[in-house]
Amino acid sequence: MARAWYAYNGVGDPFLVSSYNLAIVKPACINGSKICAIYEFNGGSNPQLLSTNIRKYIASLQLSPVAQPESPIGAKKYVYGKD
């Protein structure tokens, strides 16, 4: 199943699909303590779902302002942050 970038709207619950909107381009943000964007299964204007891993990555980003997952080194990042 294809994935797409979704931008966080900045006001909704970061654990709800309705808080994300389809992004036309890959986000320029990457690190920071606030959710910027997620790379999730394409569901159209909102993600299809927020997988268990994406939820873990969102929680980890809120604790560590580094794109997630942090490991292993070189892993594809699925959650980006901004300040």
Side-chain angles (χ1 to χ4, degrees), residues 23-35:
I24 306 295
V25 297
K26 184 177 176 181
C29 56
I30 191 161
N31 293 320
S33 57
K34 297 176 188 171
I35 305 296

Side-chain angles (χ1 to χ4, degrees), residues 2 8 11 17 25 50-51 61-62 73 78:
Y8 175 56
V11 294
V17 294
V25 297
L50 294 183
S51 67
L61 181 88
Q62 292 172 324
I73 294 173
Y78 290 91

Side-chain angles (χ1 to χ4, degrees), residues 5-7 23-30 36-39 80-81:
W5 280 105
Y6 288 89
I24 306 295
V25 297
K26 184 177 176 181
C29 56
I30 191 161
C36 175
I38 62 172
Y39 192 58
Y80 284 8

Side-chain angles (χ1 to χ4, degrees), residues 43-69:
S45 59
N46 301 104
Q48 181 179 357
L49 58 89
L50 294 183
S51 67
T52 302
N53 282 341
I54 290 290
R55 291 174 182 273
K56 286 185 213 175
Y57 300 154
I58 290 170
S60 294
L61 181 88
Q62 292 172 324
L63 297 171
S64 170
V66 178
Q68 298 293 318

Side-chain angles (χ1 to χ4, degrees), residues 1-30:
M1 175 160 285
R3 292 182 180 262
W5 280 105
Y6 288 89
Y8 175 56
N9 67 15
V11 294
D13 182 336
F15 296 99
L16 296 176
V17 294
S18 59
S19 297
Y20 297 89
N21 300 308
L22 183 62
I24 306 295
V25 297
K26 184 177 176 181
C29 56
I30 191 161

